[in-house]
């Protein structure tokens, strides 16, 4: 298997790790890429970015009320 951040993963394709990466584990190497996108175009004055571990993505929420989402967000 392959070790990533102290956790052992089996050989082969790993659809989602605990810290939101998709990986491929072979006997000689492990390669991973993130499965989340980063918001870049949002109202930075009134909104903030919060990582959502459940969905493995960033939420853009209102600074004065984090229970409400901000809209018109583009991701890269």
């Amino acid at each position: 298997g392959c070790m990533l951040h102290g956790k052992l993963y089996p050989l082969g394709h790993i659809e989602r790790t605990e810290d939101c990466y998709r990986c491929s584990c072979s006997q000689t190497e492990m390669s991973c890429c993130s499965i989340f996108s980063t918001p870049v175009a949002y109202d930075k004055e009134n909104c903030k970015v919060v990582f959502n571990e459940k969905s493995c993505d960033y939420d853009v929420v209102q600074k004065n009320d984090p229970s409400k989402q901000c809209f018109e967000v583009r991701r890269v």
Side-chain angles (χ1 to χ4, degrees), residues 36-44 47-52 56-61 69-76:
F36 50 88
S37 57
T38 306
V40 292
Y42 62 93
D43 180 354
K44 292 175 176 63
C47 303
K48 66 180 179 177
V49 175
V50 179
F51 190 70
N52 182 329
C56 282
D57 206 356
Y58 287 98
D59 294 330
V60 181
V61 297
Q69 274 192 307
C70 289
F71 298 100
E72 303 280 334
V73 176
R74 285 186 292 165
R75 295 171 187 270
V76 174

Side-chain angles (χ1 to χ4, degrees), residues 5-64:
H5 300 123
K7 181 167 167 90
L8 183 63
Y9 289 92
L11 292 173
H13 180 74
I14 299 113
E15 188 63 31
R16 177 180 163 177
T17 66
E18 288 181 352
D19 51 354
C20 300
Y21 286 86
R22 183 174 292 127
C23 300
S24 178
C25 172
S26 72
Q27 291 187 5
T28 57
E29 68 179 5
M30 182 174 198
S31 60
C32 300
C33 62
S34 64
I35 57 175
F36 50 88
S37 57
T38 306
V40 292
Y42 62 93
D43 180 354
K44 292 175 176 63
E45 189 174 313
N46 296 307
C47 303
K48 66 180 179 177
V49 175
V50 179
F51 190 70
N52 182 329
E53 290 181 17
K54 187 176 181 180
S55 68
C56 282
D57 206 356
Y58 287 98
D59 294 330
V60 181
V61 297
Q62 295 179 12
K63 285 183 180 178
N64 59 356

